[in-house]
Amino acid sequence: MRLDKTLVDAALQLLDERYPASSGVAAAIKLESGDILTGIGFSPEWGDVGLCAETGPICEAYKRDAKIVASICVSRPSLNERPIVLTPCGICQERLMHWGGNVEVGVPNGSDPHQWQSKKLEEVQPYYWVKAYRNTSTQSE
């Protein structure tokens, strides 16, 4: 399993370091090399131009021409709550699909959002739109 406790702990550690007294969102991404990249959400005070916590590590992996194999995103909704696991949003699923449907992503474990389980991206996104193109012939007769 590529998505393991070490990756989850990296995201939780960044969440605690960056947001010791407030709510926040943090992510950790594992590369094929085993390196772990982390990031936080960007929520500017003005406007709706925020970025998901996975965005920074995704861009760094792409800059390095490195393959992403796993991703986890965690959030502390408020100071007095335990962190929860967030399934990647649709935009981040689209970004992660660059590395294929076998990328493992963290999702909440059943009805307990404080626990995580690993799913392949293709399981989270079984009807990914690109599959329609792969299943048709583009050759002219």
Side-chain angles (χ1 to χ4, degrees):
M1 176 186 295
R2 298 171 187 172
L3 199 164
D4 57 13
K5 186 174 179 337
T6 302
L7 189 64
V8 176
D9 287 347
L12 291 171
Q13 180 180 344
L14 179 58
L15 183 67
D16 288 341
E17 289 174 1
R18 180 62 173 84
Y19 303 104
S22 67
S23 63
V25 179
I29 286 178
K30 185 180 283 186
L31 304 179
E32 189 173 48
S33 67
D35 289 349
I36 294 176
L37 306 174
T38 60
I40 59 171
F42 173 64
S43 299
E45 184 177 352
W46 305 102
D48 288 333
V49 293
L51 297 170
C52 297
E54 298 98 331
T55 305
I58 288 171
C59 290
E60 180 65 22
Y62 189 73
K63 179 182 91 178
R64 294 182 184 190
D65 196 23
K67 182 177 181 180
I68 292 176
V69 295
S71 177
I72 183 95
C73 185
V74 296
S75 171
R76 183 180 307 111
S78 69
L79 182 57
N80 298 322
E81 292 184 67
R82 290 179 21 223
I84 61 173
V85 175
L86 301 175
T87 303
C89 74
I91 295 169
C92 287
Q93 288 181 38
E94 185 77 18
R95 292 170 179 153
L96 290 167
M97 270 297 189
H98 174 77
W99 290 277
N102 286 325
V103 172
E104 294 179 19
V105 296
V107 300
N109 190 8
S111 61
D112 185 358
H114 305 287
Q115 301 296 318
W116 62 273
Q117 62 180 314
S118 177
K119 295 284 185 186
K120 290 182 179 179
L121 196 53
E122 64 189 9
E123 294 175 277
V124 176
Q125 186 65 267
Y127 302 102
Y128 184 55
W129 66 272
V130 171
K131 287 182 179 181
Y133 289 101
R134 291 183 183 144
N135 293 331
T136 62
S137 174
T138 56
Q139 299 175 346
S140 47
E141 296 181 29

